[in-house]
Amino acid sequence: MKTFFIETWGCQMNELDSQRLSGGLKLRGYKRVDDERAASLILLNTCSIRDKAEQKVFSRLGELRELKKETAAQIGVCGCLAQQEGQRIIDRAPWVDFVMGPGNVGYLDEILAGEHRVALEFPEDRRYDYDALDRTSATKAWVTIIEGCNKNCTFCIVPTTRGREVSRPFEGVLQEVRAAVATGRVEIELLGQTVNAYRCPQSGRDFGALLSAVAEVEGVNRLRFMTSHPAEVSDSMIVAMRDHANISRYLHLPVQSGSSRVLRRMKRLYSREKYLETIGRIRAAIPEIHFSTDVIVGFPGETDEDFEQTMSLVEEVRFGSMFAFKYSPRPGTPALKIGEPVDDAIASERLTRLFELQERHKRERLESYRGRVVPVLYEGPSRHDPEMLSGRTDDNWVVNFRGDARVPLGSMLGVRIEQAQHHTLRGEAVA
Ligand code: SAH
Ligand code: F3S
């Protein structure tokens, strides 16, 4: 019996690639196992966005070397680190059987047949077989609409690891959405590195048009998308969100820095003022929106003054959620040439201050739900307490609540919020 074990790091695009790999393997007669010791094929689907992610992969490969001596499993390294390091992975860990970049997920047969030990191209036709997707959630489906990235932010490895930007045809996306709905997925999340740069290669229709079309597919109860680039926020996107109640009132809009000087050096294509203006435009149309963001601290040459600008921008926007990281130099990226490294202790201190500020804003937002009855899309039992049910609000907060577990998964329930917890809300379903 051919069996496989797959381990995934990184973002949703990688999670989705793992679902594609897993589905493809099942079609080819493999059975998925949760114990790597029982696997004849082990896949590591890797991330290389920051150095830490990269280090973890190499230490895992060290462990697998020992395992392979016992089980003789075939080992494949996939994902962004595979693309970034290519042959060097095999040089460093010769017990790895193949290395395959994100452009090759649709080419399993060739790879399993041993035709390529190192597969790093981005083929013109990126095969995309959504019928073979092994979706892990019963209520939610991820749907890729655009692959790669053309933005070339100076700190970022993604344009190297994920290739040039390619949008999928409009009709293909809609077909996949309809197929997902037919299998009970009431929630759709559209994915791309810069999802709102979408443009149909055949008809030229933009992201706003696609959002509206997907939102109008019968049976889509909730529509989300990730990640939007601030310079690509168009009026058509805002109008589509405003006019469709089933589009999540949540927008992840990575700012990276509040200093226009740093943003220029990052090549983010917007200034502080432009970002704030974009936030204002969206809020004017959708006042209840929950904004989340990404911030990098300690980018080369970031001064105290630059960092204070980030703090004041965060204070002004009051993001509900934030992912913040210390700058991590990535091989071959333009930011390496800037020099001017920020002292690690200073970067750590900045990160701590930023998190403290952000905690206050998150708390304010979470506390504002107390006593209110909010619609929640029911996803299943709570992860930490099987007695409780779990779901998400329109604006993407996790709610754990008491209620009748017999209601169908994917139902929209009214939940009275009793308590705000660290990252989540707690309450009880009401009739
Ligand atoms: N396409 C998305 C995701 C990019 S990677 C976007 O446009 O935002 C996700 C986040 O990782 C980025 O938003 C950035 O905040 C962070 N990141 C990317 N490269 C980094 C680096 N070299 N060091 C630290 N953080 C980085
Ligand atoms: Fe990276 Fe910038 Fe694209 S952060 S993914 S190069 S928009």
Side-chain angles (χ1 to χ4, degrees):
M1 177 87 183
K2 293 183 288 186
T3 52
F4 73 99
F5 172 87
I6 185 163
E7 188 164 333
T8 312
W9 285 275
C11 63
Q12 282 108 324
M13 334 276 158
N14 253 16
E15 295 281 352
L16 180 57
D17 282 345
S18 285
Q19 295 184 1
R20 292 170 67 189
L21 287 164
S22 172
L25 287 167
K26 285 183 177 176
L27 272 185
R28 290 164 178 79
Y30 282 77
K31 181 173 174 280
R32 184 168 183 155
V33 291
D34 293 329
D35 176 6
E36 65 197 49
R37 313 192 64 83
S40 55
L41 171 65
I42 297 178
L43 295 178
L44 302 184
N45 195 3
T46 62
C47 171
S48 67
I49 197 74
R50 284 169 290 272
D51 186 55
K52 223 183 247 165
E54 192 174 321
Q55 294 320 316
K56 278 190 222 153
V57 176
F58 282 108
S59 77
R60 260 311 258 145
L61 283 176
E63 293 167 12
L64 292 181
R65 175 188 205 168
E66 298 311 308
L67 183 70
K68 188 170 181 161
K69 287 179 189 156
E70 293 169 39
T71 68
Q74 199 181 9
I75 298 176
V77 179
C78 321
C80 290
L81 188 69
Q83 188 69 31
Q84 180 189 304
E85 296 298 313
Q87 177 65 36
R88 285 194 295 273
I89 293 186
I90 292 178
D91 296 344
R92 212 168 138 179
W95 56 95
V96 167
D97 294 277
F98 61 86
V99 171
M100 132 193 195
N104 295 278
V105 172
Y107 296 79
L108 261 178
D109 286 319
E110 290 87 330
I111 289 164
L112 291 173
E115 281 174 34
H116 314 278
R117 189 152 182 221
V118 179
L120 304 178
E121 346 34 84
F122 287 98
E124 274 300 312
D125 83 287
R126 296 196 190 173
R127 287 182 212 166
Y128 199 86
D129 182 5
Y130 55 79
D131 287 329
L133 267 172
D134 186 18
R135 302 199 189 273
T136 46
S137 163
T139 58
K140 173 176 166 172
W142 282 320
V143 176
T144 297
I145 63 165
I146 180 169
E147 298 194 85
C149 185
N150 284 357
K151 288 287 186 283
N152 298 320
C153 301
T154 57
F155 52 80
C156 187
I157 194 73
V158 170
T160 309
T161 59
R162 294 251 158 201
R164 303 293 295 163
E165 194 179 282
V166 185
S167 291
R168 274 177 74 195
F170 206 91
E171 287 309 322
V173 173
L174 286 179
Q175 274 166 21
E176 181 175 351
V177 168
R178 288 190 207 104
V181 169
T183 61
R185 272 69 182 211
V186 293
E187 178 171 348
I188 301 292
E189 184 162 3
L190 305 178
L191 294 186
Q193 296 296 339
T194 50
V195 82
N196 56 338
Y198 176 84
R199 196 160 277 279
C200 173
Q202 290 151 0
S203 64
R205 279 175 288 182
D206 72 356
F207 181 62
L210 184 66
L211 265 186
S212 297
V214 174
E216 286 159 22
V217 170
E218 180 78 35
V220 173
N221 293 347
R222 184 166 289 162
L223 173 57
R224 310 197 307 175
F225 49 93
M226 189 79 136
T227 298
S228 300
H229 190 287
E232 299 275 1
V233 174
S234 64
D235 288 337
S236 77
M237 163 180 167
I238 299 174
V239 167
M241 292 179 76
R242 184 196 65 195
D243 292 349
H244 294 89
N246 57 347
I247 301 184
S248 180
R249 268 52 192 134
Y250 170 80
L251 188 61
H252 183 60
L253 204 59
V255 67
Q256 314 299 359
S257 168
S259 154
S260 292
R261 193 183 73 95
V262 173
L263 289 169
R264 236 180 352 261
R265 289 181 145 193
M266 290 177 163
K267 229 178 129 218
R268 282 294 287 181
L269 311 175
Y270 53 85
S271 61
R272 170 194 178 89
E273 293 69 31
K274 187 81 185 66
Y275 184 88
L276 288 171
E277 190 237 308
T278 301
I279 292 277
R281 248 190 321 141
I282 301 167
R283 272 207 172 119
I286 313 157
E288 70 281 17
I289 195 149
H290 166 192
F291 283 113
S292 94
T293 201
D294 292 343
V295 175
I296 295 177
V297 302
F299 185 76
E302 183 189 69
T303 62
D304 285 340
E305 171 57 23
D306 290 322
F307 178 67
E308 293 312 323
Q309 297 250 320
T310 297
M311 290 290 279
S312 75
L313 180 136
V314 168
E315 184 67 56
E316 193 167 333
V317 179
R318 306 188 100 71
F319 297 99
S321 320
M322 176 191 290
F323 304 87
F325 315 92
K326 275 195 263 184
Y327 168 70
S328 171
R330 300 286 68 214
T333 53
L336 296 179
K337 296 202 198 79
I338 301 175
E340 303 175 53
V342 172
D343 182 83
D344 188 60
I346 292 178
S348 297
E349 199 184 301
R350 288 178 185 165
L351 196 58
T352 306
R353 278 186 57 205
L354 186 62
F355 279 138
E356 279 167 10
L357 179 62
Q358 165 56 24
E359 264 316 297
R360 290 214 298 278
H361 298 158
K362 184 172 73 186
R363 198 103 294 277
E364 266 173 30
R365 175 103 190 186
L366 284 170
E367 286 295 340
S368 74
Y369 297 90
R370 199 193 282 267
R372 280 166 54 193
V373 175
V374 295
V376 169
L377 194 151
Y378 169 46
E379 292 173 25
S382 157
R383 238 191 296 169
H384 302 295
D385 179 356
E387 298 287 284
M388 301 282 280
L389 311 185
S390 186
R392 276 170 199 265
T393 64
D394 281 341
D395 56 350
N396 205 30
W397 295 103
V398 172
V399 184
N400 295 309
F401 57 99
R402 296 184 304 282
D404 183 351
R406 288 166 305 185
V407 296
L409 291 181
S411 303
M412 202 63 88
L413 306 173
V415 174
R416 184 182 316 281
I417 304 301
E418 295 161 345
Q419 218 182 343
Q421 297 190 304
H422 194 55
H423 304 288
T424 59
L425 297 165
R426 205 179 157 90
E428 177 162 27
V430 297

